[in-house]
Amino acid sequence: MVKRYAATCTHVGNQNIMAEGFKTADPLEYHKSFLKENCRPDGRELDEFRTTTLNIGPISTAEGSALVKIGNTTVMCGIKAELAVPPSDALDKGYIVPNVDMPPLCASKVRSGPPEEQAQAASQFIADIIETSEIIRKEDLCIEKEKLCWVLYCDMMCLDYDGNLLDTCIVALLAALKNTQLPKVTINKETDLPEVDLLKKCPINVNRHPVGSSFAVFDNTITIVDPTADEESLATAVMTLVVDEEGRLCSLHKPGGTALSGEKLQDCMGRAVTRHREISKLVDKILDSIKK
Amino acid sequence: MDLSVHGVSPATREFGCEQNLLSRPDGSASFIQGNTSVLAGVYGPAEVKVSKEIYDRATLEVVMQPKIGLPGVRERAREQCVRETCEAALLSTLHPRSSLTLILQEVHDDGSACCLNAACMALMDAGLPMSCLFCGITCVINTDGQIITDPTLQQEKESRALMTFAIDSTEKRVLMSSTKGSISIQELQEAIALSQKASHRIFEFYRGSVSRRYSKTLK
């Protein structure tokens, strides 16, 4: 169908209009015609991620913040710290509370009102990642056992949704945590009240660096990396792999869809490990440039 | 290599199932694994709201109710997993512009995700056309490095990693997978192999329970 249209159009401008029309009329065939040539509508290779840009510390009123863009998908993460009493079943641990929000701003499918299912599932996913990868050890958040601990509220707000929300949230969270500075807190022995010294700040210890890679599968045959919103809606299955710096799998999240074979999984794992290196280098580079 | 993969079949707890126990839903099933029990009800194909309708397929909605309290973020994440798995198995293109609602009520939680099994039996009971059946298997890796299938809640809490897979009946492929905890790729492959073995028992059980149910009417 693409060839027939191309043959009848003489002007390049006409061809672009025809391509747009084809994309609206039959999006699946449009995407398949690119995948057959081993590339994608935006010109990427099948295993190429979109350009990732990172801005660390844009919010000065938050303890830590980061703005991450993977292609058009934009997520802003802000970390706020509050004081609280440690939980009764873990007296030497603090709290980390993640929340992913997709306001109606980010996509036309999102309406105002109760949060989207995708946002809630993403919040649960990030909470699981924080717990299993031990990105921050909760013991490090305890100021004094049984009396005082930090609560870190990690709010990730998606400003522009163009697919691959989970990877962007994980990078934003990691970058914001590396940027977080907590003031020194001591407990006054006489009054038993906490005293916060806002002038003395020290960064929190980021234990591990998990990085996610999302894949979309078309008809069990073609696997693409970093799907856009159009590709996600047409894919038969979506999968996210989160690896840490030792190459261990922190999470394999594949919520249904068509099956994936063992070899494909190995390939995806390899790609995820490479992506981890790319992102670690990027975050370190940006952090170094801030210090200078 | 872990002995639990070669020769020794993976241990699962006793299961039980009852279909068509509720009068209002089009299909219902109760699935019991050890002490874990889930009740599932299916309504459909029924009228769909114009805002939710899809022109060429049925719209599947999954609602999970925990035993105590209101559904929260954890239930939403599970609903997403169950919904995507069911959509892969159901032939939803046979019912365009219709809605299918699957409600899962947790009756008791003692580990393991038997909500997928209850969902499959309820969809079967409702007579909805499916391309394959599916079952849910949970595996844990405990601190010794041993892989245990169908753990109790206590075993889940003490484990190093928790993995849930949905396996299809025709080719025993992994439809859904959700892992929690740090694992290596070899451990993941072993756990998948073990789950595929365990799924045989569950599919035989489905077959047995459905043939027992219809044997009276066929006679």
Side-chain angles (χ1 to χ4, degrees):
Chain A
M1 201 174 162
V2 180
K3 284 184 188 147
R4 188 152 53 95
Y5 274 114
T8 53
C9 298
T10 46
H11 197 248
V12 177
N14 268 352
Q15 271 184 326
N16 281 341
I17 296 168
M18 285 297 179
E20 281 297 311
F22 182 27
K23 184 178 174 185
T24 317
D26 199 344
L28 189 58
E29 281 307 315
Y30 176 79
H31 276 90
K32 276 187 179 166
S33 61
F34 283 95
L35 291 171
K36 259 186 268 181
E37 309 292 328
N38 269 345
C39 74
R40 291 144 82 168
D42 52 6
R44 283 188 285 159
E45 296 286 325
L46 297 184
D47 63 349
E48 199 183 318
F49 273 85
R50 290 172 283 182
T51 323
T52 309
T53 46
L54 187 53
N55 182 2
I56 298 192
I59 307 175
S60 54
T61 48
E63 269 67 65
S65 56
L67 175 68
V68 179
K69 277 172 81 95
I70 295 187
N72 285 331
T73 305
T74 313
V75 171
M76 168 82 88
C77 177
I79 314 257
K80 288 292 283 179
E82 282 182 10
L83 293 168
V85 180
S88 45
D89 55 348
L91 295 163
D92 58 347
K93 292 188 179 174
Y95 298 88
I96 306 179
V97 183
N99 184 38
V100 176
D101 192 18
M102 287 178 72
L105 173 69
C106 67
S108 59
K109 63 176 182 177
V110 181
R111 298 286 157 86
S112 63
E116 275 270 305
E117 183 203 71
Q118 194 176 7
Q120 298 206 40
S123 298
Q124 180 61 38
F125 177 71
I126 300 284
D128 287 339
I129 298 280
I130 292 175
E131 208 184 296
T132 60
S133 69
E134 289 212 324
I135 186 171
I136 301 246
R137 285 178 52 245
K138 287 192 179 163
E139 287 84 357
D140 292 342
L141 294 175
C142 182
I143 302 166
E144 190 161 321
K145 191 172 171 173
E146 284 179 47
K147 290 204 186 139
L148 204 61
C149 71
W150 284 113
V151 183
L152 288 181
Y153 290 106
C154 312
D155 294 300
M156 283 152 277
M157 185 161 286
C158 179
L159 300 171
D160 193 349
Y161 179 71
D162 193 18
N164 205 0
L165 179 68
L166 297 175
D167 288 2
T168 324
C169 285
I170 296 174
V171 180
L173 180 69
L174 182 64
L177 284 171
K178 290 201 95 156
N179 173 237
T180 307
Q181 305 256 3
L182 292 178
K184 200 161 177 338
V185 180
T186 46
I187 295 192
N188 190 326
K189 293 273 183 300
E190 291 142 34
T191 59
D192 217 17
L193 288 172
E195 282 175 0
V196 179
D197 189 355
L198 288 167
L199 296 168
K200 282 209 197 98
K201 287 200 174 181
C202 50
I204 48 174
N205 177 28
V206 178
N207 204 17
R208 299 233 182 222
H209 306 79
V211 171
S213 309
S214 289
F215 303 86
V217 183
F218 282 86
D219 295 334
N220 314 344
T221 44
I222 308 173
T223 316
I224 54 174
V225 138
D226 190 16
T228 62
D230 301 328
E231 287 166 351
E232 267 184 5
S233 57
L234 296 167
T236 49
V238 190
M239 181 173 75
T240 306
L241 284 171
V242 180
V243 293
D244 67 8
E245 59 266 24
E246 289 166 21
R248 286 179 74 80
L249 196 60
C250 295
S251 173
L252 165 63
H253 181 70
K254 183 182 180 296
T258 50
L260 198 66
S261 65
E263 307 91 55
K264 283 260 163 66
L265 190 62
Q266 284 281 48
D267 294 335
C268 294
M269 189 69 185
R271 188 66 189 88
V273 172
T274 323
R275 176 66 173 166
H276 185 281
R277 279 196 285 264
E278 288 168 24
I279 293 289
S280 300
K281 255 192 268 178
L282 179 67
V283 174
D284 290 336
K285 196 174 90 174
I286 305 278
L287 282 170
D288 286 337
S289 68
I290 290 178
K291 281 179 193 151
K292 283 176 197 160
Chain B
M1 270 287 248
D2 195 22
L3 277 173
S4 44
V5 177
H6 297 289
V8 181
S9 73
T12 48
R13 293 175 283 176
E14 282 295 310
F15 11 90
C17 167
E18 200 187 329
Q19 285 185 308
N20 208 17
L21 58 161
L22 301 173
S23 61
R24 308 294 291 181
D26 297 319
S28 55
S30 155
F31 203 90
I32 302 169
Q33 258 179 275
N35 281 335
T36 312
S37 168
V38 176
L39 187 59
V42 176
Y43 288 92
E47 179 115 14
V48 70
K49 267 194 220 172
V50 181
S51 56
K52 289 192 188 159
E53 80 173 6
I54 307 175
Y55 74 97
D56 65 341
R57 51 182 68 236
T59 315
L60 176 65
E61 202 185 305
V62 179
V63 179
M64 271 193 121
Q65 288 276 56
K67 186 168 84 167
I68 312 165
L70 291 167
V73 181
R74 192 181 309 249
E75 278 72 41
R76 292 270 173 273
R78 277 204 185 156
E79 280 171 15
Q80 187 194 44
C81 284
V82 174
R83 198 191 67 237
E84 302 270 337
T85 312
C86 294
E87 279 185 357
L90 281 171
L91 295 171
S92 52
T93 47
L94 290 178
H95 296 285
R97 294 204 179 87
S98 311
S99 83
L100 301 170
T101 315
L102 173 63
I103 298 120
L104 296 160
Q105 171 71 56
E106 175 200 320
V107 175
H108 191 82
D109 183 19
D110 189 26
S112 124
C114 79
C115 38
L116 281 163
N117 299 335
C120 187
M121 297 237 80
L123 291 170
M124 263 201 276
D125 188 46
L128 289 170
M130 293 199 268
S131 60
C132 64
L133 298 178
F134 55 91
C135 72
I137 319 252
T138 317
C139 293
V140 293
I141 303 185
N142 65 12
T143 39
D144 305 329
Q146 223 193 352
I147 304 182
I148 306 173
T149 49
D150 199 15
T152 59
L153 198 63
Q154 191 59 30
Q155 283 173 321
E156 274 187 13
K157 285 203 176 121
E158 292 165 1
S159 66
R160 165 160 69 87
L162 175 68
M163 295 167 274
T164 308
F165 302 108
I167 313 271
D168 85 318
S169 61
T170 45
E171 285 172 42
K172 305 288 180 296
R173 292 173 310 178
V174 175
L175 289 175
M176 185 276 285
S177 111
S178 172
T179 69
K180 215 177 128 166
S182 174
I183 46 180
S184 69
I185 195 91
Q186 286 86 6
E187 286 170 337
L188 180 70
Q189 308 275 34
E190 277 173 29
I192 292 178
L194 208 60
S195 306
Q196 284 167 331
K197 270 193 171 189
S199 67
H200 283 288
R201 256 196 88 188
I202 301 187
F203 291 128
E204 271 167 28
F205 175 73
Y206 283 178
R207 214 168 245 285
S209 118
V210 173
S211 55
R212 244 175 292 135
R213 185 186 155 202
Y214 289 109
S215 62
K216 295 177 202 132
T217 48
L218 286 171
K219 276 178 197 152

